[in-house]
């Protein structure tokens, strides 16, 4: 008897036929772990051949803003290649992918707002004027609201995703940058760079509830799956502040490398990865011990960072090199480098589901 066996090699899927001969644990590793057992060798080979020639349509895409090229590169994570480049005027910077994957919202500072990209058509289908200093952008877990930070006016705009109308503008600290919404859609957290703080916004009342002091010049931030901790990259103090969300209090400060910019979690939130702009590296922090355990060399001036839905592969946008490094969070190695465009920034959640 034979089984169709699939395994992931880097960002690609490799499949083959193997005899199981009583091996109860023989199984495919394709997505849901389907176990196919065939009694006829010829049929098995035929099915495997057909399978190998069929693209994996379900694989997610990464959307990388290329600020200097006025474009967004679309990476097929199954093949590890750029499959399209979308023109996005206005020096695109921040990226937020809608939960259903059908739209991508891209902040455009020079166009004073953000662009709406249709991921099926792979084109801009609308643009929204918000303010003069758009940078950080996020979308709610239910896809109903978009949040945009104004670097100059020190506020966050709340936009209805259907009408694309501004619902409210909320004052926060100075030079708000990174934004993240809690998994339960209850809170919005904002990194205020010049104020050295993080604002916690109540999404029911659309008011600031608490503000926590963090390191010097916080920029990118991420939240764990349970919504209990925020990890904040502090550009000037070369460290990461760990904030407990229940009390909005700092529980640890972790030293990393030069000019930490953004953060991402992987492996069931056991690893925190931090882009260090000034030395072309990514720091890896054990979230249990809250100590740096590895330093991975990537491209020059790494900025945006997001984790693949497989929770293992982490994508890093390298500004100066115009490419993306793919890190295996288990082996702590770069397993692929994908050329994108000039000024690859991808600040925010740029990975589709």
């Amino acid at each position: 008897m034979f089984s169709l066996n699939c395994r992931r090699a880097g960002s690609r899927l490799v499949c083959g036929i193997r005899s199981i001969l009583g091996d109860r644990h023989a199984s495919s590793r394709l997505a849901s772990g389907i176990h196919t057992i065939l009694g006829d060798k010829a049929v098995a080979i035929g099915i495997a051949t057909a399978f190998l020639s069929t693209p994996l349509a379900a694989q997610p895409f990464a959307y990388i803003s290329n600020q200097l090229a006025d474009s967004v590169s679309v990476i097929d994570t199954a093949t590890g290649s750029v499959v399209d480049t979308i023109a996005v005027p206005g020096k695109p910077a921040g990226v937020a992918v809608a939960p259903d994957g059908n739209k991508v919202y891209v902040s455009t500072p020079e166009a004073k707002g953000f662009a709406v990209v249709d991921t099926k058509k792979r084109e801009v289908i609308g643009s929204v004027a918000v303010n003069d200093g758009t940078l950080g952008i996020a979308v709610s877990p239910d896809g109903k609201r978009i949040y945009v930070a104004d670097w100059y006016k020190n506020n966050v705009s709340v936009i209805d995703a259907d009408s694309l109308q501004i619902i409210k503008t909320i004052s926060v600290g100075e030079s708000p940058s990174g934004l993240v919404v809690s998994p339960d859609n209850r809170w919005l957290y904002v990194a205020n760079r010049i104020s050295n703080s993080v604002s916690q916004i109540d999404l029911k009342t659309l008011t600031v509830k608490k503000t926590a002091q963090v390191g010097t010049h916080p920029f990118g931030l991420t939240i764990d799956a349970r919504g209990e901790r925020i990890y904040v990259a502090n550009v000037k103090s070369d460290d990461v502040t760990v904030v407990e969300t229940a009390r909005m209090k700092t529980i640890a400060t972790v030293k990393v490398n030069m000019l930490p910019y953004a953060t991402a979690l992987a492996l069931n939130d056991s690893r925190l990865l931090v882009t260090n702009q000034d030395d072309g590296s990514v720091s890896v922090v054990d979230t249990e011990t809250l100590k740096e355990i590895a330093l991975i060399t990537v491209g020059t001036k790494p900025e945006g960072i997001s984790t693949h839905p497989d929770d293992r592969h982490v994508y890093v946008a390298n500004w100066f090199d115009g490419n993306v490094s793919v890190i295996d969070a288990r082996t702590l190695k770069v397993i692929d480098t994908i050329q994108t465009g000039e000024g690859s920034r991808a600040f925010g959640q740029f990975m589709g589901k």
Side-chain angles (χ1 to χ4, degrees):
M1 297 179 71
F2 295 85
S3 71
L4 178 62
N5 188 58
C6 300
R7 62 185 176 82
R8 182 168 293 281
S11 59
R12 296 166 176 79
L13 199 68
V14 178
C15 299
I17 298 296
R18 72 172 180 179
S19 171
I20 62 170
L21 297 177
D23 178 7
R24 294 183 182 180
H25 302 291
S27 65
S28 151
R29 292 179 64 192
L30 171 62
S32 60
I34 299 171
H35 187 189
T36 305
I37 301 176
L38 302 172
D40 185 287
K41 182 176 181 180
V43 172
I45 293 172
I47 290 179
T49 302
F51 183 87
L52 288 169
S53 64
T54 304
L56 292 177
Q59 290 299 306
F61 296 92
Y63 299 90
I64 308 298
S65 59
N66 305 308
Q67 193 165 34
L68 301 182
D70 279 332
S71 69
V72 169
S73 294
V74 182
I75 297 175
D76 183 338
T77 63
T79 63
S81 61
V82 172
V83 293
D84 212 338
T85 300
I86 304 166
V88 181
K91 297 294 178 269
V95 182
V97 181
D100 61 10
N102 290 330
K103 290 184 176 66
V104 179
Y105 305 103
V106 184
S107 67
T108 51
E110 286 198 358
K112 301 180 180 181
F114 65 91
V116 182
V117 175
D118 185 307
T119 60
K120 304 298 182 185
K121 297 178 180 178
R122 290 184 182 161
E123 63 182 34
V124 173
I125 58 170
S127 58
V128 180
V130 182
N131 49 50
D132 291 342
T134 54
L135 177 59
I137 189 166
V139 60
S140 62
D142 60 8
K144 294 182 178 179
R145 287 179 176 176
I146 305 156
Y147 305 98
V148 183
D150 186 339
W151 180 266
Y152 298 129
K153 295 184 179 178
N154 307 326
N155 62 41
V156 173
S157 294
V158 183
I159 295 108
D160 181 274
D162 290 328
S163 67
L164 296 177
Q165 297 298 307
I166 296 174
I167 299 169
K168 188 173 181 179
T169 299
I170 306 164
S171 295
V172 289
E174 289 186 79
S175 297
S177 49
L179 306 173
V180 68
V181 184
S182 63
D184 63 2
N185 203 25
R186 182 72 174 81
W187 309 99
L188 173 68
Y189 299 94
V190 185
N192 305 307
R193 179 159 171 151
I194 304 302
S195 296
N196 302 327
S197 68
V198 171
S199 297
Q200 180 190 51
I201 295 175
D202 185 328
L203 293 179
K204 289 184 178 179
T205 63
L206 296 180
T207 56
V208 174
K209 182 179 181 182
K210 292 181 180 179
T211 301
Q213 292 302 124
V214 292
T216 309
H217 290 189
F219 201 76
L221 72 171
T222 194
I223 191 168
D224 67 14
R226 293 182 295 185
E228 295 176 352
R229 286 181 178 180
I230 304 168
Y231 299 90
V232 187
N234 303 305
V235 177
K236 270 286 194 180
S237 50
D238 296 339
D239 54 26
V240 171
T241 304
V242 186
V243 178
E244 179 193 80
T245 59
R247 299 178 302 151
M248 285 300 287
K249 297 292 184 182
T250 295
I251 58 174
T253 300
V254 184
K255 200 70 179 174
V256 287
N257 267 47
M258 299 172 67
L259 269 64
Y261 182 90
T263 59
L265 288 158
L267 301 182
N268 196 29
D269 291 348
S270 67
R271 296 288 180 266
L272 176 75
L273 290 89
V274 185
T275 53
N276 301 306
Q277 281 183 304
D278 249 20
D279 67 347
S281 71
V282 169
S283 291
V284 183
V285 175
D286 183 309
T287 59
E288 183 176 351
T289 63
L290 294 175
K291 301 291 184 183
E292 183 184 70
I293 58 171
L295 190 67
I296 304 169
T297 299
V298 289
T300 310
K301 296 291 182 185
E303 296 204 351
I305 183 169
S306 279
T307 304
H308 190 282
D310 67 8
D311 198 35
R312 173 175 175 175
H313 296 97
V314 181
Y315 289 63
V316 178
N318 302 304
W319 168 271
F320 272 15
D321 291 347
N323 61 24
V324 169
S325 301
V326 183
I327 296 172
D328 185 328
R330 286 186 188 165
T331 64
L332 303 181
K333 303 289 186 184
V334 172
I335 59 169
D336 202 0
T337 301
I338 305 164
Q339 203 64 36
T340 45
E342 190 178 5
S344 292
R345 195 167 191 189
F347 180 50
Q349 175 51 48
F350 58 76
M351 186 68 67
K353 299 296 184 183

